[in-house]
Amino acid sequence: MSAAQPSARRARANAADRLQALQQEIMELILERGLVPGDPLPTEHELVEELGVGRNTVRESLKVLQALGIVDVRHGYGMFVATKQLGALAATLEFHSRLSLRNGGHEALELVEVRQALEAGLIGAAIDAMTPPALGRVRAAVEDMEARAEAGRPLSEADEQFHRGLFEPLENGMLTNLLGVFWSAYSKLHEQMDPTDDLLVETARNHRDIYEAVAAGDKATAARLMAGHFDGIRGLIHTTVGGE
């Protein structure tokens, strides 16, 4: 190995550190100025002058912040503080969960564990906040799932509506975003798994049971059934991994 190779690696590492530090500086600038989602950011030229770095370095940092959902670049209009979104997290979870099916399914199982803790833990609060219109939407999602299961069709769309409908009455934007992230990752994961027709029917029946516990205001039963539902998903993942 030549002496130049370690030197080149150090230079790349230093450049990456500087880029990361600049990203942090831009985020601190947003916070210090009291900017909120939708507010315009300083121009590239202003950031170059204020932060004392080159234009290309600023551009690279802004690209990363855009990918992270912190900065929104609108061509022809400028740069803005991004509205709350977790798209980057969704893409990361989706990729690693799907990739893990080739090697034991560890990340996919971790995703299920987090969803289980979140949904089983909050379903009691959701029951307290439930309204007749919201409960009607949950029931409609169950009926859609049952019809799809009987026809041997995928349940994913109706399944998403069921879980979203359960927790919408909480009016918790962060929870809604997180559930959307988890669902985005899981729906892609589910495409790589192949549930049998019997499993489709069983899944629809499990959701019917959860709905009935929610409608009855039975928090303990609803939480137990929700946790059991995710145990079924774990089983499907184990089957998929074991079959490869």
Side-chain angles (χ1 to χ4, degrees), residues 4 28 56 108-109 125 130 141 150 164 168 181 194 226:
E28 289 298 327
N56 286 340
L109 291 167
M130 190 62 63
E150 288 296 331
R164 183 186 301 275
E168 278 182 347
V181 165
D194 187 22
M226 182 66 79

Side-chain angles (χ1 to χ4, degrees), residues 117-188:
L118 191 63
E119 297 196 35
L122 288 174
I123 196 166
I127 289 174
D128 286 338
M130 190 62 63
T131 63
L135 187 61
R137 289 190 289 272
V138 176
R139 182 180 65 249
V142 170
E143 292 170 350
D144 189 13
M145 289 185 73
E146 290 170 337
R148 289 168 179 265
E150 288 296 331
R153 296 166 53 206
L155 308 182
S156 56
E157 184 177 343
D159 198 351
E160 179 181 9
Q161 291 304 314
F162 175 87
H163 289 269
R164 183 186 301 275
L166 276 179
F167 297 100
E168 278 182 347
L170 291 176
E171 298 182 349
N172 183 320
M174 180 58 71
L175 174 63
T176 298
N177 279 331
L178 281 173
L179 290 177
V181 165
F182 293 149
W183 187 262
S184 175
Y186 175 70
S187 62
K188 293 295 185 181

Side-chain angles (χ1 to χ4, degrees), residues 45-91:
H45 177 72
E46 290 170 336
L47 289 173
V48 167
E49 292 294 320
E50 182 163 348
L51 300 175
V53 294
R55 182 179 295 272
N56 286 340
T57 306
V58 167
R59 285 181 177 174
E60 288 301 314
S61 293
L62 290 170
K63 286 179 183 178
V64 174
L65 293 176
Q66 183 179 20
L68 292 173
I70 294 170
V71 170
D72 182 14
V73 179
R74 305 175 196 170
H75 298 292
Y77 294 92
M79 299 178 297
F80 302 82
V81 181
T83 56
K84 184 169 57 180
Q85 55 181 307
L86 299 174
L89 176 60

Side-chain angles (χ1 to χ4, degrees), residues 18-38:
R18 289 194 297 271
L19 199 61
Q20 188 173 20
L22 180 57
Q23 293 156 25
Q24 188 64 42
E25 285 189 62
I26 295 172
M27 288 188 285
E28 289 298 327
L29 181 149
I30 292 170
L31 295 172
E32 289 170 2
R33 295 192 178 184
L35 302 181
V36 298

